[in-house]
Amino acid sequence: MKSDTVFKQAFNQTLDLLSAAGTGAALPSENALSADLGVSRTTVRKVLFQLAKRGYIAGQGRNRVVASAVPDGAHFPHTETIATAQQVEVHFMEWMLRGQAQPGTQINELELARVFGVGTTGIREFLNRFRRFGLIVKRPNAGWVFMGFTREFAMELFEIREMFELRSARALAQLPDNAAIWHRLRTIEQQHRDLLNEIDARYQDFSDLDNRFHRLINSAAPNRFIDDFYDIITLIFHYHYQWNKRDERARNAVAIHEHLEYIQALLSRDLERVQAACSLHLASARATMLAAFDAA
Amino acid sequence: MKSDTVFKQAFNQTLDLLSAAGTGAALPSENALSADLGVSRTTVRKVLFQLAKRGYIAGQGRNRVVASAVPDGAHFPHTETIATAQQVEVHFMEWMLRGQAQPGTQINELELARVFGVGTTGIREFLNRFRRFGLIVKRPNAGWVFMGFTREFAMELFEIREMFELRSARALAQLPDNAAIWHRLRTIEQQHRDLLNEIDARYQDFSDLDNRFHRLINSAAPNRFIDDFYDIITLIFHYHYQWNKRDERARNAVAIHEHLEYIQALLSRDLERVQAACSLHLASARATMLAAFDAA
DNA sequence: AAATTGTTTTTTATCGATAAGTGAAAACAG
DNA sequence: CTGTTTTCACTTATCGATAAAAAACAATTT
């Protein structure tokens, strides 16, 4: 049976909307809510029906109003709003990075299904999608093997990353003056400066900024295969940042300075300088990740 | 229920082995057969049991011999030896390239399942794996959309291909003299010359040779992400060759000449020349594919 | 003792069923 | 007649069951 996480999440979001609107306020139309919450109107109606049943809203049809303040425990628990497929991803990454999953470990679908509390179909589907990250390999009729998040994996990942990013940086530097990207580049430059000013308090925000910065560069000349590859980078870095906390503040400060020089290079449109700044930053990022392997 | 295609294929292969050995010959051990056929010993035993039941082999345990010539109709039909998952791939590519699948077409899991004669799980698994080829996109809870095998898709594909292959060709040219690859390069060079000599009769063999040649170049400096990408190339080209028959003989002859020059360049170890030959060939391959779009 | 065969236990591939969710036509209100 | 709600037919997400295939273990044979 399908889980009703979509409904529960929409329900919780609508609860927040009610609180914001306050008692007596009229509700938006079902269509408006549907567009707002990003779910079908069918689900919106289910939410509205439940809200009415609990007395948080009153009225019928187009005369619905907020009837009472929403009590504290009205929301569904956060865990019930996460689709099975997403739960599997989180669990699996945890299992892989934190657990004692050695290279060569066999992955047992049934066991994972039991441990994660989902059906085997969910596991199977996840593994099939996850395969493209290059960390697991399938042997037909005989299960999956975990290849290990190894130094070699990181090296191969970075080789492609450098190839792609140099290409995108070059393309970006050659865009015309009136391209929308220059404004976005200035914006993200400012965000770097802001972060640098509060580096002691906010250094953990760098992970997200880093991701947005590199995706911006890749958006200069879109290519679906490069975008796809960036999903891999994002995932790996996301979990790597959670896992490797050593010297985090210092590392991030260095990276921000490299980004700023990289941005200056792009703004200058000097191809030589762009390539130099790009290579320098990527080499440094690679060294950081490889150092984590040597330490472990 | 799992289909028994593994068994049926192993059965057919063993039948051929019996014919080759001739009546009275002793059978290899179960372990040897298992390694030979690439299936588990469990399956080998099932095959042997069925062969004995039909009277093609006689004797027990380690004293089994070929008992009689295998009649003509003894094999399982070819279609029964193809796993569901593979059937889906063939059907789907057919549907996509030959059928009237326009960009933006919705893909209906249930309908495909009916048309292809498999369960929905099989379709779902295929679509999830096929997603990485960049031709379909998923909208959660609302099915898949076919993006179209468009000119743009081909351009993006080729951009990456050229990046990767130039990198691999450069790496290959810099390998030491005693690397095993030089011998393999000479071998494949000869295969090109052989094909060229019989081009009128065998021009259709080029597709396979082309694939092996480019994979050989990529094997010079292995990278799992490049290997993965080459799976996409292989699949697309495989079906493209089946679909675009216009001027096939002439196109293939040109490509063989380009390969030969490319090989000479590699053997010469002259980086400039390698890059020139590689670029020339890839540009020509790209033009060929794009021409197919303009014609359609 | 090493290789081979016999037996049992695990694990994967595949199907069908069903509640949750979507989308669009039909009905309705202002 | 335009925007909204009602209704309903169709689709996806997810589970559990089951036969096929693999793997592990035990018993023989040379």
Side-chain angles (χ1 to χ4, degrees), chain A residues 174-191:
Chain A
Q174 289 169 319
L175 287 180
D177 281 327
N178 57 0
I181 200 150
W182 298 114
H183 178 249
R184 296 208 280 150
L185 199 59
R186 294 247 179 234
T187 307
I188 212 164
E189 178 190 13
Q190 190 53 50
Q191 292 170 350

Side-chain angles (χ1 to χ4, degrees), chain B residues 214-228:
Chain B
H214 290 289
R215 283 201 188 258
L216 178 63
I217 288 173
N218 277 131
S219 75
N223 179 304
R224 73 190 75 192
F225 300 105
I226 294 182
D227 290 347
D228 261 21

